[in-house]
């Protein structure tokens, strides 16, 4: 045996530390797999079944979430502790010998096999030794977007996922509205100095393609594209983690299999994904979005490298076309306000087709590369392999952060109205003007504060669609709904070509339908018709934004459509709307009266033009108008209703005659707070 061992050839030898690393990778992979399964079960049991939630978490709200944090920490720390054994195992070497001399004379073949294995993607990740200095260099380059812009887009997307569609370092943010600008700037400075220490491919510096910017700069953009309302039949905002996971897979393909990008299969996949996203809703459309996310991220690096080789002219033309597409994807909804706009009216499909064709041109024009050729002439195989290794590790960390954020953001659905004992619905309507205040700061936190302090149970937001590049691909409703504990119907998506309408409710939304009202000339008029479970009774709520003053025929057709919709409801109904009418004139009589069956919340309020609250089949007890401060250009209107009681009369009474639980908050009397006060009447109005 000794002689055989002495003469036997070494078939395979590797450091013992890789036993620890493989254990770590497998263990964390199992954890991620279990987490995804848990999220899926969480979705089906909680998001789609609020009665399950009421039974399971009503007694101790958040108990299961707190427990899960401890359980997660135990798993992560346990696996991390095991990973430290790599330090001890580093001094061991494991060898496999041929004790029967069957491989004698074939050592060169074994070497060739080992070399080929190292060239495979997994071998590239596991083969180099680790260095904290190089890891920091890579992290700095990812932060600055120096070497791989597609990978750099992931931290931004995850930051927006964690901060509910706002990037905390954007210029519209500051410390008062949740900004982390100082930290972001400090990290940027450190990253610049750190990345300058190593040789980098400055030619690869570029923004991402239009498709990535318009669809993937926020994880919930494509979720809102395919959203259709309640009951939930597709992804919700917390499922944006699947978009981030798909983007990460695309980055891995870009780094380790770049040859797959410049192929007909990649172009076909992009076309199929774009078609599914544009044509279908719910999960089918979202699967198309995931395919598109993988392919766009995979294509970004090689296409940018290809453009860099063609000099400044290629980049100049590319950014020119990018700007054209940015304008086009806004003109599909802003057609009524721009020259030549009607040509692009409601043609998101055209924008998508042009985007896919341009991508196809880039894919077939790019030089074909295998996994060992990309950037190798400039950096050399060894340095490039090490960069990819660190990038892969960073990607794993980012994806784990995204999964954790997704778990934290899943709705609990155990929401409670402000005055449940009195069976009150406090309903409001507010035109939020894209959540930018008069000083161009992001305004959702100030909006949240007013909605909370006014104790609003149900609110309609208008001009709420921010999922376009010019608005930063944001969504105010996610932040406010999750922070205040409300169900949310995001309304018609950005591919429905409206300025947006949304419904937030403390009461479960049993069913909701989106409507696009007749608009032959002007901008589209969106509406949400929802049925709520309010204290065990069914109550309908309609949120509606009519057309502009310049289009009277549009507004007439819309008034008839909405009147028919409201007349057809046999349940109590509240309309939260933007009507563009004068009280007691013209289309007012279509919205109010026999045609609709609706009553005005206060017909004597003559100083109105845009916002109106109407109702039927439910008792109105109060009405207030609250000044906007500098948040937007429109006030907040609020009405109080009692479920299960008849409509009542128009006779007004003093607040002293109103039970405490039916009163509006006193803090907004007089000068109010933060620029918000009861105005027009200078106080709320109450009715018998």
């Amino acid at each position: 045996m000794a002689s055989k061992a002495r003469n036997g050839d070494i078939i395979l030898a590797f450091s013992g530390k890789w036993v620890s690393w493989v254990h770590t990778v497998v263990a964390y992979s199992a954890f991620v797999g279990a987490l995804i399964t848990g999220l899926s079960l969480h979705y089906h049991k909680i998001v789609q079944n609020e009665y399950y939630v009421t039974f399971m978490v009503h007694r101790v709200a958040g108990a299961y979430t707190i427990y899960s944090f401890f359980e997660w920490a135990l798993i992560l720390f346990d696996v991390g502790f095991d990973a430290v054994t790599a330090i001890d195992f580093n001094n061991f070497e494991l060898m496999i010998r041929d004790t029967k001399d069957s491989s004698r004379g074939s050592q060169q073949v074994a070497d060739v096999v080992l070399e080929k294995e190292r060239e495979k993607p997994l071998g590239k990740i596991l083969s180099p030794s680790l260095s904290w200095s190089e890891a920091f260099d890579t992290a700095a380059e990812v932060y600055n977007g120096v070497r791989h812009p597609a990978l750099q887009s992931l931290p931004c997307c995850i930051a927006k996922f964690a901060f509910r569609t706002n990037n905390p370092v954007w210029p519209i943010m500051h410390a008062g509205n949740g900004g982390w600008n100082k930290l972001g700037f400090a990290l940027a400075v450190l990253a610049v100095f750190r990345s300058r220490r190593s040789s980098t491919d400055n030619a690869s510096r570029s923004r991402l393609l239009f498709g990535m910017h318009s669809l993937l700069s926020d994880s919930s953009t494509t979720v809102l594209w395919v959203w259709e309302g309640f009951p939930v039949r597709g992804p919700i905002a917390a499922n944006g983690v699947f978009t981030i996971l798909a983007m990460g897979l695309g980055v891995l393909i870009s780094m380790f299999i770049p040859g797959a990008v410049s192929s007909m299969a990649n172009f076909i996949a992009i076309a199929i994904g774009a078609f599914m996203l544009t044509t279908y809703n719910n999960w089918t459309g979202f699967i198309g979005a995931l395919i598109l996310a993988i392919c766009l991220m995979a294509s970004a690096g090689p296409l940018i490298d290809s453009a860099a080789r063609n000099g400044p002219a290629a980049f100049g033309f590319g950014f020119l076309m990018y700007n054209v597409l940015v304008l086009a994807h806004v003109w599909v909804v802003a057609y009524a306000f721009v020259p030549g706009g009607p040509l692009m009216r409601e043609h998101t499909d055209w924008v998508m087709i042009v985007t896919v064709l341009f991508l196809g041109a880039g894919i077939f024009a790019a030089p074909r590369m295998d996994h060992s050729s990309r950037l190798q002439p400039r950096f050399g195989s060894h340095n490039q392999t090490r960069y990819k290794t660190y990038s892969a590790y960073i990607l794993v960390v980012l994806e784990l952060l995204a999964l954790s954020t997704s778990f934290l953001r899943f709705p609990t659905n155990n929401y409670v109205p402000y005055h449940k004992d009195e069976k009150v619905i406090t309903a409001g309507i507010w035109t939020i003007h894209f959540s930018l205040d008069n000083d161009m700061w992001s305004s959702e936190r100030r909006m949240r504060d007013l909605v909370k302090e006014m104790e609003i149970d149900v609110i309609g937001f208008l001009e709420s669609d921010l999922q376009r590049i010019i608005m930063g691909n944001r969504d105010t409703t996610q932040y406010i709904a999750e922070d205040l504990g409300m169900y949310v119907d995001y309304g018609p998506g950005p591919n429905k070509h409206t300025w947006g309408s949304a419904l937030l409710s403390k009461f479960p939304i049993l069913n909701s339908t989106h409507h696009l009202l007749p608009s032959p000339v002007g901008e589209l008029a969106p509406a949400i018709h929802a049925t709520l479970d309010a204290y065990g009774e069914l109550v309908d709520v309609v949120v509606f934004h009519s057309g502009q003053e310049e289009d009277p025929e549009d507004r007439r057709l819309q008034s008839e459509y909405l009147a028919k919709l409201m007349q057809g409801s046999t349940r109590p109904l509240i309309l939260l709307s933007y009507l563009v009418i004068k009280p007691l004139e013209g289309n007012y009589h279509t919205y109010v009266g026999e045609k609709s069956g609706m009553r005005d919340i206060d017909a004597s309020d003559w100083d109105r033009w845009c916002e109106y609250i109407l109702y039927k089949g439910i008792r109105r007890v109060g009405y207030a108008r609250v000044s906007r401060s500098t948040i937007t250009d429109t006030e907040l209107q609020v009405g109080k209703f009692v479920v299960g009681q008849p409509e009542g009369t128009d006779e007004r009474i003093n607040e002293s005659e109103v039970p405490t639980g039916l009163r509006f908050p006193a803090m907004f009397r007089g000068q109010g707070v933060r620029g918000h006060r009861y105005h027009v009447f200078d106080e709320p109005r109450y009715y018998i």
Side-chain angles (χ1 to χ4, degrees):
M1 292 295 295
S3 61
K4 289 183 179 181
R6 183 175 57 254
N7 296 326
D9 294 318
I10 299 175
I11 297 176
L12 179 64
F14 56 91
S15 172
K17 69 180 180 181
W18 294 118
V19 175
S20 177
W21 283 117
V22 169
H23 168 270
T24 302
V25 171
V26 172
Y28 276 132
S29 298
F31 170 74
V32 171
L35 179 61
I36 293 174
T37 303
L39 291 176
S40 177
L41 293 174
H42 190 84
Y43 171 81
H44 290 293
K45 287 186 177 182
I46 292 183
V47 176
Q48 293 187 325
N49 190 345
E50 68 259 11
Y51 300 104
Y52 172 89
V53 177
T54 301
F55 176 76
M56 294 296 290
V57 304
H58 181 67
R59 296 180 181 178
V60 184
Y64 295 121
T65 301
I66 296 171
Y67 169 77
S68 68
F69 289 159
F70 284 105
E71 188 175 25
W72 280 27
L74 178 63
I75 296 172
L76 295 173
F77 290 146
D78 180 60
V79 177
F81 180 81
D82 291 342
V84 178
T85 59
I87 300 174
D88 299 323
F89 288 0
N90 192 42
N91 298 323
F92 296 93
E93 185 177 43
L94 301 181
M95 293 183 292
I96 300 176
R97 288 180 178 272
D98 179 7
T99 59
K100 295 184 178 181
D101 295 341
S102 60
S103 62
R104 179 169 292 280
S106 62
Q107 183 64 39
Q108 291 181 343
V109 176
D111 291 342
V112 171
V113 172
L114 289 173
E115 190 63 30
K116 288 183 178 180
E117 291 297 320
R118 291 191 186 100
E119 288 300 317
K120 293 182 178 180
L122 182 60
K124 285 179 173 290
I125 295 177
L126 298 179
S127 59
S129 59
L130 299 177
S131 163
W132 283 110
S133 177
E134 292 179 338
F136 283 129
D137 288 342
T138 306
E141 292 176 1
V142 169
Y143 191 89
N144 289 331
V146 172
R147 188 81 70 89
H148 202 298
L151 179 56
Q152 190 269 346
S153 69
L154 268 173
C156 176
C157 191
I158 293 172
K160 292 185 67 184
F161 188 41
F163 285 82
R164 302 178 180 94
T165 76
N166 260 334
N167 189 323
V169 301
W170 272 349
I172 63 171
M173 306 297 292
H174 57 81
N177 65 3
W180 289 15
N181 309 79
K182 294 179 181 178
L183 176 61
F185 181 75
L187 290 176
V189 172
L190 292 175
V192 167
F193 281 109
R194 187 78 196 186
S195 61
R196 285 174 60 88
R197 296 175 66 251
S198 59
S199 58
T200 57
D201 185 5
N202 292 324
S204 290
R205 245 180 236 164
S206 176
R207 298 181 183 179
L208 300 180
L209 302 173
F210 166 78
M212 296 171 63
H213 200 173
S214 62
L215 297 176
L216 302 180
S217 62
D218 184 82
S219 62
S220 64
T221 298
T222 54
V223 171
L224 300 186
W225 270 54
V226 302
W227 170 258
E228 275 199 320
F230 288 84
V232 177
R233 292 153 296 191
I236 60 175
N239 296 133
V241 68
F242 294 126
T243 302
I244 296 174
L245 292 174
M247 293 169 67
L249 177 58
V251 171
L252 287 177
I253 294 173
S254 175
M255 290 193 297
F256 296 105
I257 321 175
V261 173
S262 53
S263 65
M264 176 63 75
N266 184 40
F267 175 70
I268 292 175
I270 289 175
I272 291 174
F275 174 78
M276 293 174 64
L277 174 61
T278 307
T279 306
Y280 295 98
N281 294 317
N282 301 318
W283 285 112
T284 302
F286 190 60
I287 290 172
L290 297 182
I291 295 172
L292 197 57
I294 294 171
C295 295
L296 287 176
M297 296 296 282
S299 303
L303 290 184
I304 291 174
D305 289 342
S306 175
R309 293 188 179 94
N310 289 306
F315 269 99
F317 179 75
F319 278 111
L320 173 63
M321 297 312 301
Y322 167 86
N323 289 330
V324 170
L325 289 171
V326 170
L327 289 174
H329 101 297
V330 176
W331 282 13
V332 297
V333 63
Y335 51 83
F337 307 101
V338 294
L343 294 175
M344 289 298 299
R345 174 175 176 152
E346 301 176 54
H347 277 305
T348 291
D349 52 347
W350 289 6
V351 178
M352 186 67 79
I353 289 171
V354 172
T355 301
V356 171
L357 291 177
F358 278 8
L359 281 169
I363 288 170
F364 294 119
R368 294 185 177 273
M369 297 180 289
D370 59 31
H371 57 75
S372 63
S373 63
R374 182 168 176 245
L375 298 181
Q376 183 172 321
R378 182 182 292 266
F379 300 108
S381 176
H382 180 68
N383 289 339
Q384 185 64 14
T385 298
R386 296 175 72 85
Y387 166 75
K388 291 179 179 179
T389 300
Y390 293 119
S391 297
Y393 291 148
I394 291 172
L395 182 60
V396 169
V397 172
L398 292 174
E399 298 291 20
L400 288 174
L401 286 174
L403 288 166
S404 302
T405 301
S406 177
F407 186 86
L408 293 173
R409 287 194 56 187
F410 257 95
T412 60
N413 291 359
N414 58 338
Y415 312 133
V416 180
Y418 288 99
H419 296 283
K420 62 179 181 178
D421 293 337
E422 292 81 7
K423 299 181 70 173
V424 169
I425 297 178
T426 303
I429 181 67
W430 201 0
T431 306
I432 61 175
H433 204 61
F434 311 113
S435 299
L436 291 174
D437 67 19
N438 296 352
D439 298 315
M440 296 303 290
W441 295 110
S442 185
S443 59
E444 55 272 307
R445 292 202 175 206
R446 297 174 65 194
M447 292 165 53
R448 182 246 356 234
D449 293 341
L450 182 58
V451 171
K452 180 179 181 180
E453 291 164 351
M454 281 297 297
E455 301 176 345
I456 296 176
D457 301 306
V458 178
I459 188 165
F461 286 149
L462 301 175
E463 297 182 3
S464 57
D465 184 4
L466 318 180
Q467 288 289 352
R468 301 188 186 280
I469 292 175
I470 59 170
M471 294 297 173
N473 289 93
R474 300 178 295 135
D475 180 21
T476 296
T477 65
Q478 293 180 37
Y479 173 79
I480 295 179
E482 292 177 28
D483 193 83
L484 296 183
M486 304 178 82
Y487 301 89
V488 56
D489 186 333
Y490 312 105
N495 56 332
K496 301 303 190 296
H497 314 107
T498 77
W499 294 118
S501 61
L503 172 65
L504 285 72
S505 170
K506 288 280 188 180
F507 305 99
I509 303 175
L510 302 183
N511 185 79
S512 62
T513 307
H514 301 163
H515 299 262
L516 299 178
L517 275 64
S519 306
V521 178
E523 60 186 22
L524 292 183
I528 302 172
H529 180 197
T531 301
L532 312 182
D533 178 0
Y535 308 111
E537 298 193 26
L538 301 184
V539 176
D540 283 3
V541 173
V542 175
V543 180
F544 169 60
H545 190 311
S546 78
Q548 297 300 306
E549 180 183 4
E550 295 81 3
D551 306 306
E553 179 62 12
D554 284 17
R555 290 188 288 111
R556 184 188 68 80
L557 294 173
Q558 292 159 11
S559 68
E560 293 179 351
Y561 182 104
L562 197 65
K564 183 178 180 180
L565 178 68
M566 296 186 294
Q567 179 67 47
S569 174
T570 59
R571 296 179 286 271
L573 189 149
I574 301 171
L575 173 67
L576 308 172
S577 60
Y578 185 107
L579 299 183
V580 193
I581 55 174
K582 292 182 179 180
L584 308 177
E585 295 183 16
N587 293 330
Y588 176 92
H589 297 292
T590 305
Y591 290 114
V592 178
E594 294 182 359
K595 289 185 178 180
S596 65
M598 302 294 290
R599 296 180 60 178
D600 192 345
I601 195 169
D602 191 327
S604 67
D605 181 6
W606 61 270
D607 189 18
R608 288 175 295 171
W609 173 247
C610 296
E611 293 180 346
Y612 283 78
I613 298 177
L614 310 181
Y615 70 100
K616 74 172 183 178
I618 191 171
R619 182 189 169 198
R620 165 214 52 188
V621 295
Y623 171 49
R625 300 177 64 173
V626 184
S627 60
R628 56 186 171 80
S629 182
T630 60
I631 291 180
T632 177
D633 59 358
T634 311
E635 67 179 3
L636 170 66
Q637 288 190 12
V638 185
K640 280 188 178 290
F641 303 88
V642 178
V643 176
Q645 296 186 14
E647 293 179 355
T649 70
D650 291 329
E651 182 180 349
R652 295 208 300 266
I653 57 176
N654 294 325
E655 187 175 78
S656 59
E657 303 176 64
V658 178
T660 302
L662 303 183
R663 298 178 184 178
F664 286 100
M667 63 188 300
F668 296 104
R669 286 183 171 274
Q671 295 300 314
V673 295
R674 303 186 310 276
H676 301 297
R677 64 180 183 86
Y678 298 123
H679 71 156
V680 182
F681 319 127
D682 295 328
E683 63 179 2
R685 286 183 172 181
Y686 298 97
Y687 312 85
I688 296 180

